[in-house]
Amino acid sequence: MTEKEMIRTNNLNKCFGELHVLKDINITVYESDVVCLIGASGSGKSTLLRCLNYLERKNSGSIVLEGKEVDFKKDSVNEVRQKVGMVFQHFNLFPHMTVLENVIEAPIHVKKIPKAQAVKEAKELLGKVGLDDKMDVYPSKLSGGQKQRVAIARALAMKPDIMLFDEPTSALDPELVGEVLSTMKELAEEGMTMIVVTHEMGFAREVADWIVYMDEGRIIEKANPDDFFTNPKEERTKEFLKTTA
Ligand code: ADP
Ligand code: MG
């Protein structure tokens, strides 16, 4: 069986001025893989996701999306973002729009889907994340966990092939973390290709196919969760795991 390659980077480098934030990042993610990206604050995790989603521009190296090298000059940002959805720590919902309006916005305005169809699909997605009864409320009336589930539904409404999550539960009260993680787990079980930056080691261990550990802009170790957590190879990984225990 040959696995379909969804996204790959070749010697990806990113600098902010003098600061070299991503150093020769090589990562390949196959269809339906769940990759958990972990590492200390400042190690470059968010920057890597943002480069994959075109929110930041790489300095050198390449990004290959479903077999095709993406080129800032030639490819439209919208085209890449339709394939690669992203969920952020701070939800970033549109506050002046209802839940339903948040979810249908991009399908209607970016994908040019007829409104009736966008609404139908949005309702299905909101049902899936357990929020069918919140369609007509504004984000300010929702808990953090509900907001994040709306953000997930909104990203899914574009029918992405890959979903990126940047610490989706870090801003939540502890009692709300579980509902978001279970939504993500369901998505993983349905076969979504996912790259998840997280400090939730229990989730990483249970759901990830691969753990990628980053330190100071480099990938230090990549392993399946059992090996990673029980038998890390690198000294820096061992030190990091002590801090999360
Ligand atoms: P992580 O997500 O692992 O905490 P980040 O990717 O956010 O790490 O940041 C990596 C490094 O890049 C940090 O030193 C951070 O301060 C720096 N950095 C991130 N974004 C910017 C930016 N827009 N401008 C300048 N420096 C940045
Ligand atoms: Mg970050």
Side-chain angles (χ1 to χ4, degrees), residues 16 19 21 40-47:
F16 291 111
L19 193 64
V21 174
S41 175
S43 55
K45 306 177 302 293
S46 294
T47 304

Side-chain angles (χ1 to χ4, degrees), residues 138-192:
Y138 287 86
S140 60
K141 297 277 183 271
L142 300 177
S143 72
Q146 290 170 331
K147 283 182 201 169
Q148 194 58 298
R149 285 184 284 143
V150 175
I152 293 171
R154 185 177 60 173
L156 291 174
M158 293 298 276
K159 303 199 170 88
D161 296 337
I162 304 166
M163 284 281 283
L164 310 177
F165 293 85
D166 193 358
E167 299 196 33
T169 61
S170 295
L172 302 178
D173 292 334
E175 71 273 19
L176 303 176
V177 167
E179 65 191 59
V180 172
L181 293 180
S182 29
T183 299
M184 291 166 64
K185 191 176 162 198
E186 275 168 35
L187 203 54
E189 281 164 357
E190 287 167 14
M192 178 59 80

Side-chain angles (χ1 to χ4, degrees), residues 21-88:
V21 174
L22 297 179
K23 298 166 186 162
D24 290 327
I25 298 288
N26 291 299
I27 186 173
T28 305
V29 180
Y30 294 93
E31 190 167 34
S32 297
D33 272 359
V34 177
V35 174
C36 281
L37 191 56
I38 68 176
S41 175
S43 55
K45 306 177 302 293
S46 294
T47 304
L48 175 55
L49 290 194
R50 292 170 63 83
C51 284
L52 295 180
N53 196 33
Y54 261 34
L55 290 168
E56 298 286 355
R57 194 171 183 158
K58 67 184 160 63
N59 289 84
S60 67
S62 59
I63 300 171
V64 181
L65 185 56
E66 295 173 50
K68 180 171 168 262
E69 182 169 345
V70 290
D71 181 335
F72 242 106
K73 291 194 204 81
K74 293 199 209 96
D75 302 307
S76 89
V77 170
N78 280 341
E79 196 184 319
V80 172
R81 296 221 185 114
Q82 283 180 39
K83 290 190 178 154
V84 186
M86 185 145 168
V87 172
F88 302 87

